[in-house]
């Protein structure tokens, strides 16, 4: 599902009036991309979730289980693909639905539907701890801005390897289940990490380790629930799939906006550790929701042959669903993996895919001064956590406006033109941070608080608009057969660029001598980081020409044929 950011991530403590580098609409958990967009010239350097609707088409064709069907072990897919009791669109089901007094986005309410929406809601509500983590590093451990930038980047590392989680969930069932078990474990990981942060964490290294653990649980659960949505959407009418995606968007958006509203006030009232303790309750909802996910258990191929040999009737022969999926033997799984890896490598080697991937990485890898601005706002301007929570709320709502602006006004604009103008406009508007740093806004009669709120509103909308072409480009580049795997890989490249950008920003912060108390060189630092957004523009020729999916896909097909 397209979520502007979901991601994912993480500059937990970046609440500058400057432009954000990675927009995020639907989820704001501290282990994911931020809702507050502070860099209009390009997406914020934060880890991003992969939009599930973009991947839904791909998972059906690139799932490792979709190949090697001639070995007799692919009955697993038959059972899995037919298991959609919740979203049945048969005439009988439609008749029942029409008589129901209540539907959710046109879908019939059910325990599984509630479970799916709850997982996405939790991804959004986990943003409750974002501000708390920033203040925790700053006030509890007294870390300087450069160090905070590095440790927050490390906390988002699990988002760089998201394709691994998808492969494990598809091919390695735990306790007989491919989805339920993973969701339960992910929820428990999140609860353990936040509980530890609230109680026993005493050192910065231990804090980073717990944040990474929580990030791992969130990233993995994100991949798993996306795969569930993909499976339930496959074969359904577009209206049904769209309704399910709308529900996912809305659930996460509600959680994200709620977390933005309460995050600052809770830090002021109970401190960072109190917020961590409250946050620890929400991942348990993911574990509980897993119980209501409709899924067939997986059995080994040896057991399946033994049961079949004992004369047990195969339900598939009588037209029903299989009682259990059959796990392919190791040699078949290795064959599928090798086929998938070869197909992925063949796609990446194409210039029409490799060069845009390099551009996306460089687009994200330019440095950011967000963490230094957070310290400036809290230590120098004395902004309270409650006010920063309000800034996040404004950013959350503005990011939704950015999505609407792109969808209704700009989606047909050629990609190169979009990248160029969002970079130029974003750089110009990003330099407005200098007005706040130098205090010129007060000479104009604008308070610091009012200036930051207005600046954040404008930059967030433009930041969201600037990130949408990245997702569009990634989706259009994926050739048939490896759509899901390649799209997830491109998102990992983007997240890797975000991590590199966070590291470069930390090094520059250190080089300019900006500390938690000395902001003498903050203006030059912000200027250098903001202007760096223009550096990738000469590389725009690396992007495919054309503004439509058909044109870009035609370029890919021509290169494949010539190869």
């Amino acid at each position: 599902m397209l979520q502007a950011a979901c991601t994912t991530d993480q500059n937990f403590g970046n609440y500058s009036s400057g432009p954000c580098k990675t927009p995020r609409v639907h989820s704001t958990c501290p282990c994911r991309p931020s809702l507050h967009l502070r860099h209009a010239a390009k997406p914020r350097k934060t880890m991003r979730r992969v939009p599930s609707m973009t991947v839904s088409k791909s998972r059906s064709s690139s799932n490792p289980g979709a190949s090697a069907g001639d070995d007799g072990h692919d009955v697993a897919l038959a059972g899995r693909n037919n298991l959609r009791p919740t979203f049945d669109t048969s005439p009988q089901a439609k008749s029942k639905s029409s008589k129901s007094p209540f539907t959710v986005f046109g879908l019939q309410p059910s325990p599984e539907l509630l479970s799916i929406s709850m997982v996405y809601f939790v991804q959004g509500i986990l943003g409750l701890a974002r501000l708390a983590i920033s203040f925790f590093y700053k006030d509890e451990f007294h870390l300087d801005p450069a160090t905070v930038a590095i440790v927050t980047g490390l906390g988002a590392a699990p988002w760089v390897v998201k394709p691994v989680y998808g492969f494990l969930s598809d091919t390695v069932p735990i306790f007989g289940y491919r989805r339920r078990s993973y969701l339960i474990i992910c929820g428990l990981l999140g609860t353990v990490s936040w509980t530890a942060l609230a109680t026993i964490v005493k050192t910065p290294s231990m804090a980073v380790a717990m944040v990474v653990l929580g990030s791992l649980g969130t990233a993995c659960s994100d991949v798993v629930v996306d795969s569930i949505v993909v499976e339930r959407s496959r074969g359904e009418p577009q209206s049904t799939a769209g309704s399910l995606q709308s529900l996912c968007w809305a659930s996460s958006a509600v959680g994200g906006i709620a977390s933005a509203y309460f995050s600052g006030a809770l830090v002021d009232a109970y401190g960072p550790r109190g917020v961590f303790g409250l946050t620890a309750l929400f991942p348990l909802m993911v574990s509980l929701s897993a119980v209501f996910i409709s899924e067939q258990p997986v059995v080994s191929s040896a057991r399946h042959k033994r049961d079949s040999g004992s004369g047990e009737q195969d339900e598939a022969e009588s037209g029903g669903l299989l009682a259990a999926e059959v796990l392919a033997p190791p040699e078949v799984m290795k064959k599928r993996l090798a086929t998938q890896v070869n197909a992925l490598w063949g796609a990446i080697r194409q210039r029409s895919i490799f060069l845009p991937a390099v551009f996306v990485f460089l687009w994200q890898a330019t440095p950011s001064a967000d963490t230094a601005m957070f310290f400036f706002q809290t230590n120098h301007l004395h902004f309270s956590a409650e006010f920063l929570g309000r800034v996040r709320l404004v950013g959350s709502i503005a990011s939704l406006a950015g999505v609407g602006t792109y969808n209704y006004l700009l989606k047909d604009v050629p990609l190169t033109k979009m990248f160029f103008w969002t970079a130029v406009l974003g750089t110009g508007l990003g330099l407005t941070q200098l007005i706040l740093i130098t205090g010129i806004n007060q000479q104009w009669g604008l308070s610091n608080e009012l200036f930051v709120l207005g600046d954040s509103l404008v930059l967030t909308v433009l930041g969201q608009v600037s990130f949408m072409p990245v997702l569009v480009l990634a989706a259009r580049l994926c050739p048939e057969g490896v759509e899901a795997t390649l799209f997830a890989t491109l998102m990992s490249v983007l997240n890797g660029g975000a991590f590199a950008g966070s590291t470069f920003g930390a090094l520059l912060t250190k080089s300019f001598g900006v500390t938690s108390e000395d902001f003498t060189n903050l203006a030059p630092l912000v200027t250098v980081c903001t202007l760096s957004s223009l550096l990738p523009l000469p590389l725009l020729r690396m992007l495919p020409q054309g503004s439509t999916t058909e044109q870009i896909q035609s370029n890919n097909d021509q290169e494949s044929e010539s190869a």
Side-chain angles (χ1 to χ4, degrees):
M1 96 187 171
L2 266 191
Q3 50 194 30
C6 303
T7 195
T8 49
D9 217 54
Q10 291 342 95
N11 274 330
F12 302 125
N14 303 334
Y15 299 92
S16 67
S17 61
C20 163
K21 305 225 173 164
T22 305
R24 196 179 160 201
V25 169
H26 118 189
S27 47
T28 55
C29 84
C31 302
R32 314 197 39 159
S34 151
L35 238 171
H36 179 43
L37 312 179
R38 290 179 299 283
H39 200 304
K42 61 179 179 302
R44 174 185 169 199
K45 304 323 190 300
T46 53
M47 299 301 120
R48 309 277 322 188
R49 302 193 52 258
V50 177
S52 56
M53 247 343 256
T54 309
V55 183
S56 63
K57 169 182 94 160
S58 56
R59 284 237 184 122
S60 62
S61 59
S62 64
N63 190 317
S67 59
D70 57 347
D71 56 14
H73 296 288
D74 287 316
V75 290
L77 286 184
R80 193 186 315 170
N81 293 344
N82 290 328
L83 182 57
R84 283 191 297 269
T86 304
F87 310 112
D88 186 9
T89 56
S90 63
Q92 295 83 353
K94 291 180 179 178
S95 175
K96 293 179 182 179
S97 176
S98 62
K99 297 179 181 179
S100 173
F102 177 71
T103 60
V104 181
F105 290 96
L107 300 172
Q108 196 71 22
S110 69
E112 184 180 61
L113 188 65
L114 177 62
S115 298
I116 291 174
S117 62
M118 188 59 63
V119 175
Y120 283 104
F121 171 80
V122 170
Q123 291 179 356
I125 199 66
L126 286 179
L128 197 66
R130 180 177 296 278
L131 266 176
I133 290 178
S134 302
F135 281 97
F136 193 56
Y137 285 142
K138 182 176 76 76
D139 297 334
E140 182 92 3
F141 300 122
H142 306 290
L143 301 181
D144 60 78
T147 304
V148 171
I150 292 177
V151 297
T152 52
L154 290 175
W159 290 87
V160 179
V161 291
K162 285 183 66 175
V164 175
Y165 314 141
F167 173 75
L168 289 175
S169 177
D170 284 340
T171 59
V172 185
I174 300 178
F175 300 118
Y177 291 94
R178 303 176 189 272
R179 312 302 184 203
R180 285 183 182 176
S181 299
Y182 281 91
L183 286 177
I184 292 174
I185 293 173
C186 290
L188 294 178
L189 286 178
T191 295
V192 168
S193 66
W194 294 116
T195 301
L197 284 167
T199 55
I200 65 174
V201 168
K202 303 297 182 184
T203 64
S205 59
M206 190 174 182
V208 173
M210 290 301 100
V211 170
V212 170
L213 184 65
S215 181
L216 174 63
T218 307
C220 185
S221 67
D222 174 57
V223 172
V224 173
V225 73
D226 276 353
S227 68
I228 294 173
V229 172
V230 168
E231 291 171 357
R232 300 307 185 265
S233 300
R234 187 183 302 145
E236 299 290 358
Q238 181 176 343
S239 59
T240 302
S243 296
L244 182 56
Q245 288 299 316
S246 298
L247 175 66
C248 297
W249 263 86
S251 300
S252 189
V254 169
I257 292 175
S259 72
Y261 181 79
F262 291 106
S263 59
L266 289 174
V267 171
D268 274 346
Y270 303 104
R273 290 188 184 270
V275 175
F276 295 153
L278 177 61
T279 305
L281 300 176
F282 293 108
L284 290 177
M285 299 169 65
V286 175
S287 298
L288 179 63
S289 299
V291 177
F292 299 98
I293 298 296
S294 298
E295 182 182 7
Q296 293 173 311
V298 178
V299 298
S300 66
S301 57
R303 177 181 171 186
H304 175 70
K305 291 179 180 180
R306 183 176 66 251
D307 292 342
S308 299
S310 63
E312 295 184 10
Q313 182 181 5
D314 191 338
E315 293 184 32
E317 295 178 357
S318 59
L321 290 176
L322 292 173
E325 295 185 15
V326 180
L327 181 64
E331 58 271 16
V332 176
M333 294 172 62
K334 291 180 181 179
K335 178 181 178 182
R336 293 172 179 170
L337 176 60
T339 301
Q340 195 72 10
V341 170
N342 290 334
L344 178 62
W345 175 243
I348 293 177
R349 291 174 58 188
Q350 298 180 28
R351 287 176 54 86
S352 59
I353 295 176
F354 176 75
L355 293 180
V358 172
F359 176 84
V360 168
F361 178 86
L362 297 175
W363 181 262
Q364 280 288 86
T366 51
S368 165
D370 288 346
T371 303
M373 285 300 299
F374 168 73
F375 276 78
F376 176 76
Q377 291 179 351
T378 54
N379 289 357
H380 185 76
L381 300 181
H382 305 292
F383 286 172
S384 66
E386 190 274 336
F387 173 73
L388 292 180
R390 275 186 277 164
V391 174
R392 287 194 59 225
L393 177 61
V394 170
S396 302
I397 298 173
S399 63
L400 294 174
V403 173
T405 300
Y406 177 82
N407 187 58
Y408 291 104
L409 300 177
L410 302 171
K411 62 183 178 181
D412 293 326
V413 177
L415 291 177
T416 53
K417 189 175 182 179
M418 277 291 300
F419 277 115
F420 177 82
W421 284 110
T422 54
V424 172
L425 291 175
T427 299
L429 292 174
L431 291 174
T432 58
Q433 294 178 99
L434 300 177
I435 297 176
L436 181 69
I437 295 172
T438 57
I440 296 177
N441 59 290
Q442 292 182 321
Q443 299 177 17
W444 297 344
L446 292 176
S447 66
N448 293 330
E449 290 79 4
L450 182 61
F451 181 85
V452 168
L453 284 173
D455 197 43
S456 174
L457 176 66
V458 175
L459 291 173
T460 298
V461 172
L462 185 56
Q464 184 65 62
V465 170
S466 74
F467 185 75
M468 297 305 293
V470 176
L471 296 179
V472 172
L473 174 63
R476 290 174 174 177
L477 289 176
C478 299
E480 185 176 356
V482 289
E483 299 99 323
T485 308
L486 182 56
F487 188 87
T489 301
L490 291 174
M491 291 299 99
S492 294
V493 169
L494 183 147
N495 292 338
F499 178 76
S502 178
T503 303
F504 293 152
L507 294 175
L508 282 176
T509 301
K510 192 76 172 178
S511 300
F512 277 90
V514 176
T515 66
S516 58
E517 300 297 335
D518 185 0
F519 302 103
T520 305
N521 293 324
L522 180 59
L525 171 64
V526 169
T527 302
V528 170
C529 290
T530 304
L531 292 178
S532 71
S533 301
L534 300 175
L535 293 178
L537 291 186
L539 304 177
L540 281 174
R541 61 179 179 273
M542 299 170 68
L543 298 181
Q545 300 301 312
S547 61
T548 66
T549 303
E550 290 75 13
Q551 289 173 317
I552 294 176
Q553 189 61 53
S554 176
N555 293 339
N556 291 345
D557 293 341
Q558 290 177 5
E559 182 172 342
S560 298
E561 292 175 359
S562 62

